[in-house]
Amino acid sequence: MTTKYNYYSLLVFLCLFFAQFYPQISSAYQTISESGELISADNYRFGFETQFGSGANLTGFVDAPLNEVSQLRVLAGTGDVDFYAGVSYKWIPFPDLEKQPAVGLRVGSAIGRETTDNFVAFSGSPLVSKKIETPQGLAIPYLALPITYTSHKSKTTNALQLAIGSEFNTPELKKWGFGGELGINIKDSQSYIAFFATIIMDENIRGK
């Protein structure tokens, strides 16, 4: 029990500590905002995300299962980044079972516009998560390492980030999921804090 609460204390501390390192522009298309869990077949999940820097971005997204080990996300948003839209593919060949965490890969692409500059971005992210039962509900902390290639009109960047976050589901709000994420700049990227909420059309998460 102590370990579970220590996890949340550490996450809050990191959010407060890294808040002072916000960039001038936050790139919401670079966030992860999901664990290694997959929704059940023939169901969909709708959600939105707010990401905070010196300004803010708002993103809407839809998740759809493809098969037993993969899932698709389509997203679009606006804010500090004038407009962006993208798609990502999550592949989890190793699900969360007993002591084994969920392990997989998330790849994606996005297009968008910042002021007068259009861009195209491609990313790949190793992803690990583990379910933790708490008295308040099911927490699913996750860790990802997004590697993003972004091409602008006048430059290209190869960015590396560390994303630490968690999903949370409560018995009282079975169709809703909530979560938060901290992004830490490692190379040519941005640090950020993001919060997200989802409406789960299917009340069951695979492996629960």
Side-chain angles (χ1 to χ4, degrees):
M1 184 70 67
T2 302
T3 302
K4 296 174 183 177
Y5 290 115
N6 283 345
Y7 161 76
Y8 292 111
S9 298
L10 177 61
L11 186 60
V12 171
F13 170 78
L14 288 172
C15 289
L16 294 174
F17 178 77
F18 282 99
Q20 59 184 308
F21 300 117
Y22 282 143
Q24 290 187 349
I25 295 179
S26 304
S27 300
Y29 57 89
Q30 295 180 347
T31 62
I32 300 297
S33 296
E34 60 179 335
S35 70
E37 294 300 302
L38 300 171
I39 58 177
S40 302
D42 301 322
N43 291 279
Y44 297 90
R45 179 169 61 184
F46 299 88
F48 62 90
E49 171 200 280
T50 56
Q51 184 204 42
F52 297 97
S54 58
N57 291 298
L58 179 63
T59 305
F61 57 84
V62 180
D63 293 332
L66 296 178
N67 52 45
E68 292 184 353
V69 296
S70 65
Q71 186 169 299
L72 186 71
R73 170 170 290 187
V74 178
L75 63 88
T78 186
D80 279 355
V81 180
D82 296 335
F83 170 77
Y84 50 91
V87 61
S88 66
Y89 171 79
K90 182 171 67 174
W91 176 58
I92 308 295
F94 305 103
D96 186 338
L97 295 173
E98 298 180 352
K99 294 183 178 181
Q100 173 187 291
V103 179
L105 179 68
R106 184 180 186 267
V107 296
S109 63
I111 58 173
R113 183 177 182 84
E114 294 180 5
T115 59
T116 60
D117 190 9
N118 297 327
F119 66 84
V120 179
F122 302 93
S123 65
S125 309
L127 176 63
V128 179
S129 69
K130 184 62 183 170
K131 293 177 289 187
I132 299 176
E133 292 285 354
T134 74
Q136 290 74 33
L138 178 66
I140 314 174
Y142 61 86
L143 181 70
L145 194 67
I147 303 168
T148 305
Y149 169 82
T150 305
S151 176
H152 294 264
K153 182 178 180 180
S154 59
K155 66 176 182 177
T156 60
T157 59
N158 293 292
L160 179 63
Q161 287 174 306
L162 177 64
I164 304 170
S166 182
E167 296 181 11
F168 189 77
N169 301 90
T170 66
E172 293 80 10
L173 298 172
K174 293 182 178 181
K175 291 187 177 182
W176 284 89
F178 303 92
E181 180 175 304
L182 171 66
I184 302 172
N185 173 26
I186 298 178
K187 178 182 180 294
D188 296 333
S189 185
Q190 299 106 6
S191 297
Y192 62 84
I193 293 177
F195 301 95
F196 55 92
T198 58
I199 303 174
I200 304 172
M201 298 296 105
D202 174 39
E203 296 182 2
N204 297 310
I205 297 176
R206 196 195 75 179
K208 183 175 178 181

